[in-house]
Amino acid sequence: MPKDLACSVDAADGPFGHRLRAFRSQGSMTSRPEFDEETRKFRPTKAIHGSDPPTRARQGRSLRYRQARIIVLLFGGYAACYFCRADLSVATPLLVEELGQRGVSHADAIVRIGAITSFGVLAYALGKLFLGGLGDFWGGRVNFLIGLGGATVFTLLFASGAALPLFTFAWLGNRLTQSIAWAGLIKVSSKWFDFSSYGTIIGILSLSYLIGDALARQCMGVMIQHGFGWRALFYFAAAVAGLMLVANVLLLRESRTQEGYDEAKPNPLNLFAANESRPVNVAALLRPLLRSRAFVLVCVLSLGCTIIRETFNTWTPVYLRDYLGYSMSNSAGMSAIFPAVGAVSVLASGWLSDRLGVNGRSLILFVGLAATVAALLALMSMRSSSTGPLLPLVAIGAIAFFLLGPYSYLGGAFALDFGGKQAGAVSSGIIDGVGYLGGVLAGDSVARVSVAFGWQGVFLALAAISALAALGAGFLYALNARAAATGHHLP
């Protein structure tokens, strides 16, 4: 168990202290059947604690093997989803060129593709808000498979289209179905791993969208360099997602209880710790979350961080192409610097937060967002005629390093800390959904700002957003400190 949780519970005999003591004092497990909430059937319990040492060791190795398989399936599946999201960003210069051949001006083409992007992000946000929580009722596995299946089907539909209305419909369907995949991943994780490993596991799984994004951009950049058109990029992305869909259909299991193991232990300080049964209705899930000031603040932080993240995810290839003069293939490949450096940031932030203790995550959020402000202002000051092509890439990498590691806490480890096993999916869905409502601005609005005020105007606006988010992270730090002093969950 992480030191921060141990200290916060041992410090005071709050209403949740007895739960943690119960976890510690658990004796040997009996072999009597237990009722499984997932399958609604009785199951035998594996006697891991009460058996002889060699048997316990074999059972522990068996569980670790199955947990490793779950990580691989979830990681690969969610990384594949990002192949079906990076394709539009990478293909945008090619689509702009094709629209130009049809008589559409460069500025109009940028705005139209920006509108498609914004509609997609809006569908993604609404799906997270209103559909992601379904995983708390029908299971996270179903959510995850729908996300992968929708990404495959709608990406193929986009590739077969030839007009903007069909492009818009396909992109909306793609983002809407993908919107429930992360909540499904969080829900499955809560059923396979104890709360003491949430930080490590969610940190690893958070790398999936960064590595998937970076790998997709690199592969697609090579394809463009070899003369492939934008349709080939979409067919390639659909093939990757389809392959992982088949693997997850065959091998992914909802919970470790389905393999005969004891249930995973949730954080005893989560907002639903007093009731461990399956939620009876949506109101029972939403009420404790929406009454928590800390939860609402995390949602606001997600809003600000997602605007910045989605702007760079969407427009980096166009910025490199139009402002710095990179070729189409090089702009696609070099745009991978943002998710690639972000992967390093996630690992570094996870390692550091474990060592900073109870307030580590909120402190890293504050410092990271403040540093992001400085990096954005530095990027704003760079002129294409005087700085050369490398310094802007260094600045983009710095923004990724300061932003993406702290960002990964919001819809992952924080969501599980608030929701536990009962509301992990809806907690993650709300946090990410609010964030992507802000991410809508990263499409159409950023396109219009870049046309009207140039990229300097875009980076100045993002710096202001990051500064406001840093102030919010400072307040979250204060709430964390107060909760740690009293030994209770966040207010």
Side-chain angles (χ1 to χ4, degrees):
M1 182 178 66
K3 294 179 180 178
D4 54 340
L5 284 174
C7 293
S8 64
V9 175
D10 291 340
D13 282 330
F16 300 100
H18 68 283
R19 292 186 173 275
L20 193 55
R21 289 193 294 272
F23 288 149
R24 291 172 177 168
S25 63
Q26 237 177 355
S28 61
M29 282 190 280
T30 66
S31 59
R32 68 182 183 182
E34 294 182 359
F35 188 70
D36 185 355
E37 288 285 349
E38 300 300 322
T39 61
R40 313 299 296 176
K41 297 178 180 178
F42 285 97
R43 59 174 175 81
T45 302
K46 292 200 173 187
I48 296 178
H49 297 294
S51 54
D52 58 279
T55 302
R56 288 202 305 270
R58 286 194 299 271
Q59 298 288 4
R61 284 194 298 269
S62 174
L63 176 58
R64 286 193 295 272
Y65 165 76
R66 285 167 171 77
Q67 288 175 325
R69 184 183 67 187
I70 294 300
I71 290 175
V72 170
L73 290 169
L74 294 176
F75 189 103
Y78 205 71
C81 287
Y82 267 73
F83 276 72
C84 297
R85 290 168 66 170
D87 47 10
L88 180 58
S89 173
V90 172
T92 292
L94 296 173
L95 284 167
V96 169
E97 187 177 73
E98 182 173 305
L99 290 172
Q101 294 171 359
R102 301 180 188 177
V104 181
S105 70
H106 183 274
D108 286 343
I110 290 291
V111 170
R112 290 186 186 185
I113 294 176
I116 292 175
T117 302
S118 285
F119 287 136
V121 175
L122 179 61
Y124 193 74
L126 295 177
K128 279 184 172 290
L129 283 170
F130 299 108
L131 301 179
L134 291 173
D136 288 320
F137 295 94
W138 64 26
R141 180 178 181 270
V142 175
N143 272 31
F144 197 67
L145 295 180
I146 290 175
L148 269 173
T152 304
V153 171
F154 286 108
T155 298
L156 289 173
L157 181 62
F158 194 108
S160 66
L164 286 171
L166 183 56
F167 292 159
T168 304
F169 173 77
W171 194 249
L172 284 173
N174 182 8
R175 296 305 301 270
L176 182 64
T177 51
Q178 280 199 47
S179 68
I180 65 176
W182 180 256
L185 177 149
I186 292 295
K187 186 69 175 182
V188 172
S189 299
S190 73
K191 296 300 183 69
W192 273 94
F193 300 95
D194 294 337
F195 75 96
S196 58
S197 61
Y198 282 173
T200 300
I201 299 305
I202 301 304
I204 293 172
L205 293 175
S206 293
L207 293 176
S208 63
Y209 57 79
L210 297 166
I211 292 177
D213 193 14
L215 184 60
R217 291 172 186 270
Q218 283 291 317
C219 293
M220 292 174 187
V222 171
M223 292 176 68
I224 293 173
Q225 192 173 13
H226 284 80
F228 288 94
W230 68 265
R231 295 181 195 276
L233 307 184
F234 280 78
Y235 285 129
F236 170 66
V240 174
L243 179 64
M244 290 310 305
L245 172 64
V246 172
N248 277 272
V249 167
L250 295 177
L251 300 174
L252 184 65
R253 299 291 179 267
E254 173 73 21
S255 168
R256 70 194 205 184
T257 60
Q258 294 179 349
E259 302 280 356
Y261 296 96
D262 59 311
E263 290 188 358
K265 300 178 179 66
N267 187 336
L269 303 183
N270 75 79
L271 298 175
F272 298 84
N275 184 10
E276 297 186 357
S277 62
R278 184 187 294 270
V280 294
N281 53 46
V282 175
L285 291 175
L286 295 180
R287 193 177 299 113
L289 294 172
L290 299 182
R291 287 177 176 175
S292 169
R293 286 180 295 161
F295 180 80
V296 172
L297 182 54
V298 166
C299 290
V300 174
L301 289 173
S302 179
L303 181 88
C305 292
T306 305
I307 293 174
I308 303 170
R309 172 178 174 256
E310 283 299 294
T311 296
F312 282 94
N313 278 344
T314 302
W315 295 110
T316 298
V318 177
Y319 169 72
L320 296 177
R321 166 75 173 166
D322 293 351
Y323 189 72
L324 298 177
Y326 279 79
S327 67
M328 287 192 182
S329 61
N330 285 337
S331 65
M334 295 307 293
S335 69
I337 190 172
F338 191 73
V341 175
V344 178
S345 174
V346 169
L347 290 175
S349 298
W351 176 85
L352 186 59
S353 68
D354 287 342
R355 282 149 184 80
L356 291 178
V358 64
N359 236 350
R361 290 175 191 160
S362 54
L363 177 61
I364 293 172
L365 269 171
F366 172 74
V367 174
L369 288 168
T372 301
V373 175
L376 282 164
L377 292 176
L379 183 60
M380 180 197 70
S381 67
M382 296 178 184
R383 309 293 176 181
S384 59
S385 58
S386 59
T387 59
L390 292 181
L391 280 180
L393 286 177
V394 173
I396 291 172
I399 293 165
F401 185 80
F402 295 133
L403 175 71
L404 294 184
Y407 171 86
S408 69
Y409 297 147
L410 299 174
F414 270 132
L416 284 179
D417 283 341
F418 285 116
K421 290 192 300 182
Q422 286 70 37
V426 72
S427 175
S428 175
I430 293 173
I431 292 171
D432 278 345
V434 171
Y436 278 98
L437 284 177
V440 172
L441 300 174
D444 181 74
S445 298
V446 168
R448 294 180 184 276
V449 171
S450 68
V451 170
F453 302 101
W455 289 104
Q456 283 75 25
V458 171
F459 299 141
L460 179 61
L462 295 181
I465 292 170
S466 185
L468 292 174
L471 292 176
F475 185 58
L476 182 63
Y477 178 86
L479 289 178
N480 264 316
R482 188 180 308 165
T486 60
H488 292 76
H489 60 68
L490 287 169

